[in-house]
Amino acid sequence: MNLLKIQHLYTAYDRIDVLEDVSIEVRQGEITCILGANGAGKSTLIRSILGLTPANRGEILFKDEDICRLPSHQIIERGIACVPEGRKVFPRMTVDENLSAGAYLVKDKRIIEERRAHVKALFPRMAERSTQLAGTLSGGEQAMLAISRSLMSSPDLLIFDEPSLGLSPLFVKENFKIIKEINQMGTTVLLVEQNVRQTLAIAHRGYVISKGSVVAQGNAEELIANAEVQAAYFG
């Protein structure tokens, strides 16, 4: 079953198409990756899904509903969350306050506390840093907080935008391990990355975007074996 299906999507900035006829499918329960170099259109695709940069043409179907013309807050309400590039935690708020911000749509305090306990079990460091200002955390800890905050909305689809960016190799490895664990617990993942080796090690299926168009697709094994992908990413 497709949780997210994008069909013939065109998105433009200043009348210049950045995405051209992009079609992708994200199957429920899987990790689907979007690979591509800087400027390929990956971030524009995320912004289109979230309603931040509305598409000019095409469909974005989430749970069989076209969300292409919905405002961002209504898209989030339907069960999509994003861990943004560069973490973007609230630096002058504590860890716990950041977590609460991730559950701003939830009115039941009991549910909020249950989710807080869940993410702190997944990230024990967040329990240790509960009252610490987010801006004083290390880069790796801020990455953990950004993921924890996104999980507070209990999303059906969690989008990761370049989760390895700016992290040490140790934290990159830990991040990908956590993404796999989150998926194994039942959350569907759309992973947008440049780190091809680590991404294809955990992804079920994926797409390669170049100059705003899909140039290759398939399961992880097929992408690893693809001659164009090998030439571009594996030398």
Side-chain angles (χ1 to χ4, degrees):
M1 173 184 170
N2 290 321
L3 184 63
L4 178 73
K5 186 174 183 178
I6 297 174
Q7 299 184 103
H8 308 297
L9 194 72
Y10 289 79
T11 302
Y13 293 118
D14 297 324
R15 300 182 182 179
I16 299 173
D17 282 335
V18 176
L19 298 179
E20 297 185 61
D21 199 23
V22 170
S23 295
I24 71 168
E25 297 177 356
V26 178
R27 296 175 184 170
Q28 188 162 357
E30 291 189 348
I31 298 175
T32 300
C33 66
I34 306 293
L35 303 171
N38 274 334
K42 303 189 308 298
S43 294
T44 302
L45 178 60
I46 292 175
R47 291 182 62 85
S48 295
I49 294 169
L50 297 175
L52 298 170
T53 304
N56 292 351
R57 285 182 283 159
E59 289 184 326
I60 302 175
L61 302 173
F62 182 64
K63 300 177 186 175
D64 295 325
E65 177 190 6
D66 190 356
I67 61 172
C68 216
R69 302 292 176 259
L70 293 180
S72 296
H73 70 278
Q74 290 185 15
I75 293 171
I76 301 303
E77 286 173 355
R78 280 158 171 75
I80 298 178
C82 180
V83 181
E85 178 184 334
R87 278 85 72 187
K88 295 183 174 63
V89 298
F90 301 114
R92 297 187 180 182
M93 293 166 59
T94 66
V95 165
D96 270 350
E97 288 169 341
N98 269 269
L99 294 179
S100 295
Y104 75 98
L105 292 172
V106 182
K107 306 304 179 187
D108 190 325
K109 291 183 178 180
R110 179 183 57 82
I111 293 175
I112 293 174
E113 290 310 312
E114 286 176 355
R115 292 181 183 175
R116 195 192 307 274
H118 169 70
V119 299
K120 286 182 177 179
L122 188 61
F123 297 96
R125 195 80 58 88
M126 296 299 94
E128 298 169 8
R129 303 282 194 268
S130 292
T131 59
Q132 189 169 329
L133 293 179
T136 66
L137 300 175
S138 69
E141 289 169 341
Q142 289 186 18
M144 292 180 191
L145 178 55
I147 297 172
S148 299
R149 183 180 60 191
S150 71
L151 291 173
M152 289 293 292
S153 66
S154 191
D156 297 305
L157 174 65
L158 183 52
I159 302 171
F160 287 87
D161 186 5
E162 305 281 7
S164 69
L165 190 68
L167 295 181
S168 70
L170 181 64
F171 270 117
V172 169
K173 185 177 180 181
E174 182 66 19
N175 246 9
F176 277 87
K177 178 185 174 186
I178 289 164
I179 292 168
K180 186 174 181 178
E181 288 176 358
I182 289 169
N183 174 248
Q184 289 172 337
M185 288 188 289
T187 302
T188 303
V189 171
L190 179 60
L191 175 56
V192 179
E193 253 292 350
Q194 292 187 65
N195 190 325
V196 176
R197 291 183 186 274
Q198 297 256 30
T199 300
L200 291 179
I202 66 169
H204 297 94
R205 301 167 60 252
Y207 298 81
V208 178
I209 292 182
S210 178
K211 298 178 181 178
S213 298
V214 174
V215 295
Q217 60 182 287
N219 61 38
E221 292 78 14
E222 289 168 340
L223 288 177
I224 291 171
N226 183 290
E228 291 183 21
V229 175
Q230 284 191 348
Y233 297 104
F234 296 106

